[in-house]
Amino acid sequence: KNELTRSLCVIEKVIKGVKDDVDAFVIPCADKCKDSVQTIVHKISSEIGNKLLIVSSEEEVKRLAFTGATCALAVSGTVVSELSAYGVPTVVIYDANFITRIVAKRIANVKYVSIPNIILNKKVIPEFLFENCHAQAIIPSLKLLLSESESRDKESGGSRDRVWYPEQSRKLASILPRLCRWGTSENTKLIARPIRPSVVAARTILDLL
């Protein structure tokens, strides 16, 4: 819960920082987190107006949210693989208390936390972790993704007939089969089902042996 609270405090500040660049914020939210998220939404609703929408984290709802997203701010986890599968340019954040930070840095000696970045061994998806997880650092990176989307829209004349692949998505395309399996929902819509990070990590290690 402390980690959730930390993340939500950062997300709140980021939302305030990009509110003039965004038409709407959609937050897929699990039931166990809903009360905490609603507290933040209520807190900043006077500044954001009706731009914030909390939706269920059920697969079909997430699919609709992801396919309509310009970009995403995600807390590190399997959702990053899902967003990558749907071609959503993403910025990843993660923070923890001081003791967890120290333990994580000593035990988990890795350069990246997002599975796509680990596989590619380079930072394709921007990551803002621990002491770097603050709004002042995150906002410019998110605004860059938003401006790239705006440029693509202008070039296409607002037409949705042409499919655009953001730079981040192009770089991740080669590894998508290692991140997700595609299945169907009750409405026969294709849905990305992320492969468990432990399985992806194990396969990555085997590939290096």
Side-chain angles (χ1 to χ4, degrees):
K1 187 173 181 180
N2 288 337
E3 292 176 1
L4 173 63
T5 301
R6 286 174 179 271
S7 297
L8 287 174
C9 287
V10 174
I11 291 170
E12 175 191 348
K13 293 176 182 177
V14 172
I15 288 174
K16 290 179 179 179
V18 301
K19 62 182 175 64
D20 293 332
D21 304 283
V22 177
D23 294 326
F25 299 91
V26 179
I27 308 174
C29 180
D31 288 340
K32 63 181 180 181
C33 305
K34 199 167 185 178
D35 289 342
S36 298
V37 174
Q38 284 180 330
T39 299
I40 294 295
V41 170
H42 179 73
K43 182 179 176 182
I44 62 176
S45 60
S46 60
E47 294 182 51
I48 307 301
N50 57 359
K51 284 187 175 184
L52 274 167
L53 176 64
I54 302 175
V55 299
S56 165
S57 61
E58 294 177 1
E59 287 186 336
E60 180 68 14
V61 179
K62 279 199 299 185
R63 183 191 69 80
L64 292 172
F66 292 171
T67 53
T70 300
C71 62
L73 179 65
V75 179
S76 177
T78 55
V79 68
V80 179
S81 296
E82 290 180 277
L83 288 162
S84 298
Y86 283 101
V88 184
T90 302
V91 173
V92 173
I93 66 171
Y94 183 77
D95 197 7
N97 61 51
F98 178 75
I99 295 176
T100 302
R101 289 182 186 181
I102 297 299
V103 172
K105 288 178 180 180
R106 289 186 178 180
I107 295 178
N109 186 25
V110 294
K111 290 186 287 186
Y112 313 113
V113 298
S114 302
I115 292 295
N117 287 346
I118 292 172
I119 293 175
L120 292 169
N121 195 30
K122 59 182 176 181
K123 191 183 291 185
V124 175
I125 300 174
E127 297 181 349
F128 296 90
L129 315 174
F130 302 133
E131 61 270 13
N132 294 319
C133 184
H134 55 85
Q136 293 89 340
I138 297 164
I139 288 171
S141 187
L142 202 57
K143 282 195 172 188
L144 178 61
L145 294 183
L146 289 166
S147 65
E148 288 174 353
S149 173
E150 184 179 356
S151 297
R152 291 193 301 272
D153 288 343
K154 287 180 179 178
E155 189 174 337
S156 67
S159 171
R160 291 188 176 272
D161 294 335
R162 184 174 177 182
V163 178
W164 291 97
Y165 295 96
E167 184 67 19
Q168 188 184 111
S169 301
R170 283 198 294 267
K171 291 178 179 178
L172 293 171
S174 63
I175 64 167
L176 290 185
R178 298 174 65 177
L179 299 176
C180 295
R181 295 187 184 92
W182 288 90
T184 56
S185 67
E186 293 179 359
N187 298 324
T188 68
K189 300 288 187 179
L190 278 175
I191 286 181
R193 304 180 189 278
I195 298 171
R196 285 186 300 171
S198 59
V199 175
V200 176
R203 289 176 179 172
T204 302
I205 292 171
L206 288 173
D207 288 344
L208 295 173
L209 295 178

